[in-house]
Amino acid sequence: MTALAGSLCAVLAVTALGPFLLWPRTRAGALGVLMAGARRLTALEWIRRSFFFGDRFPEHYEVSGRKILRHLVYRSGTGLLCTLVIGLLGFGVVLAGLLVRGTVQGSLRWDELLTQVVLGSVLLFLDVQGLRSLVALDARLARECFGPSEQELLHRRIDELADSRAAVVQAVDAERRRIERDLHDGIQQRLVALAMLLGRARRGRDPEQADALLLQAHQESRDVLAELREVAWRVYPSALDSLGLEEALGGVSERCGIPVRTEFDVPGPLPRPLETAAYFVVSESVTNAAKHSDATAVSVSVVLDDSTLMVRIQDNGKGGANPAGIGLSGLRSRVDALDGTLYIDSPEGGPTVVTAELPCA
């Protein structure tokens, strides 16, 4: 009925403004008045859908004039069809009444009664299905007009996936460069120093000096091994595969130079990509806190809340973390790739709080 009322208003408006629409000098003004009326009609429909059907549409969604006119035209068609279907339903009710009266008066034979009942049931089924389809079509038209259409949502999703993929590729490339830098500037230089110490020990003629050089070489080899293990954990921790996320986070706490208090409340196993992302969020945040924030304590919370894994890292440092830095931007890319969200709150003076929400479904 509202569609028919809207159609009637549109027809009256077009009829009244017809001469002005045809005259070039008044066409622009008439079109403005026509579009203003069309926008009011669609605004009433927006309110009706929200009030009676509980539909929720974006508050600040810009609807183009072309989309509004298309919505009115389509709704006019559905309104006419709905009137026809309701009319058929009323006609069926009248026929059912006549059938009942004929049955009571005994003017119908049983085979005629059976035929009428079967035919009426089929028509009633088709009529109800038609009404349901029209109601669904009306709701879809409202979504197309008042909110992002399915095509727009699909385009947005494609854009998000393209951005996410580019960010992940960039983050992986940055991580690769950092690992190469660590291997070249750190471990490689230490191995060269170790080789030089061993060479001097071999060439030395003084046993005491040789023992001192061997002792220094032994300490250097332990430092190299520790640094190599650190780099390996930053690439991918083997404990994540063998022991799970909780044990891997325990390794992060043990390697950290400041106390780390960890709360882990995840009842069951998680998907591997989710565990990997959660691990790197904690590892990178704890490492940043230990290296750059002057913090004396870090708290880590990993909690599965309904279908979302909440990862929260807070330190008591000086704050001022740069969300656009390589490390944090890489974390954001990892989280975005899983349709998650990363929040970074790090005011000057601290504290720094990094929160990742990772959907499990």
Side-chain angles (χ1 to χ4, degrees), residues 3-338:
L4 284 179
S7 303
L8 182 60
C9 291
V11 170
L12 292 177
V14 171
T15 303
L17 295 173
F20 302 99
L21 290 172
L22 295 176
W23 195 18
R25 297 184 61 180
T26 58
R27 183 176 301 163
L31 279 176
V33 174
L34 183 64
M35 286 307 305
R39 288 187 180 277
R40 288 192 179 90
L41 284 177
T42 52
L44 291 175
E45 175 63 13
W46 192 95
I47 296 173
R48 187 184 74 89
R49 297 291 315 181
S50 302
F51 184 78
F52 290 103
F53 299 96
D55 292 344
R56 295 292 178 266
F57 304 107
E59 291 287 345
H60 304 290
Y61 182 71
E62 292 291 337
V63 184
S64 64
R66 185 175 181 180
K67 184 178 282 189
I68 288 176
L69 293 177
R70 186 173 58 192
H71 177 257
L72 290 177
V73 171
Y74 287 166
R75 281 211 79 220
S76 300
T78 57
L80 291 174
L81 283 175
C82 190
T83 303
L84 179 61
V85 172
I86 292 176
L88 290 175
L89 183 61
F91 182 69
V93 170
V94 173
L95 290 180
L98 295 175
L99 185 63
V100 170
R101 191 180 68 176
T103 303
V104 172
Q105 294 177 349
S107 60
L108 284 177
R109 298 195 309 271
W110 67 270
D111 55 339
E112 293 177 340
L113 176 63
L114 181 60
T115 302
Q116 295 296 330
V117 169
V118 171
L119 183 60
S121 300
V122 172
L123 293 177
L124 178 62
F125 174 77
L126 294 176
D127 201 90
V128 171
Q129 290 299 318
L131 279 177
R132 290 186 57 186
S133 300
L134 287 172
V135 170
L137 178 60
D138 191 57
R140 181 173 179 177
L141 289 176
R143 289 196 301 271
E144 292 282 341
C145 182
F146 304 129
S149 64
E150 294 179 359
Q151 190 175 12
E152 289 174 329
L153 291 176
L154 181 61
H155 287 165
R156 288 184 185 180
R157 184 60 178 161
I158 291 174
D159 293 340
E160 290 175 358
L161 290 176
D163 294 341
S164 175
R165 185 186 62 177
V168 168
V169 171
Q170 185 178 3
V172 170
D173 187 59
E175 186 68 19
R176 179 184 58 80
R177 290 199 302 270
R178 186 166 66 172
I179 293 171
E180 290 176 351
R181 186 173 60 250
D182 291 344
L183 291 174
H184 183 269
D185 298 340
I187 296 175
Q188 184 176 349
Q189 298 302 321
R190 283 183 175 275
L191 288 174
V192 170
L194 176 61
M196 292 176 64
L197 287 173
L198 292 175
R200 289 175 58 192
R202 286 186 59 192
R203 292 190 300 271
R205 298 181 182 277
D206 185 356
E208 292 184 359
Q209 184 181 7
D211 289 342
L213 290 172
L214 287 175
L215 183 62
Q216 188 176 352
H218 180 249
Q219 182 60 41
E220 188 70 20
S221 66
R222 296 180 62 180
D223 294 342
V224 170
L225 186 61
E227 190 165 340
L228 184 60
R229 187 182 295 114
E230 180 70 23
V231 172
W233 272 78
R234 289 170 62 184
V235 176
Y236 187 82
S238 58
L240 203 56
D241 284 335
S242 57
L243 302 176
L245 179 60
E246 186 174 9
E247 295 296 330
L249 295 181
V252 173
S253 303
E254 292 175 359
R255 296 194 312 277
C256 186
I258 56 178
V260 178
R261 182 172 59 85
T262 303
E263 175 192 3
F264 190 86
D265 185 11
V266 179
L270 296 169
R272 184 54 50 83
L274 207 65
E275 285 189 339
T276 304
Y279 170 80
F280 279 106
V281 168
V282 174
S283 178
E284 183 71 25
S285 301
V286 170
T287 302
N288 289 341
K291 287 185 176 179
H292 308 299
S293 72
D294 296 334
T296 58
V298 179
S299 63
V300 176
S301 173
V302 181
V303 178
L304 183 61
D305 183 11
D306 293 332
S307 61
T308 303
L309 183 67
M310 304 291 296
V311 181
R312 187 173 187 272
I313 304 97
Q314 179 174 354
D315 64 49
N316 60 351
K318 60 183 180 183
N322 181 16
I326 295 177
L328 292 178
S329 60
L331 290 184
R332 189 182 301 280
S333 300
R334 285 181 182 273
V335 174
D336 289 345
L338 298 174

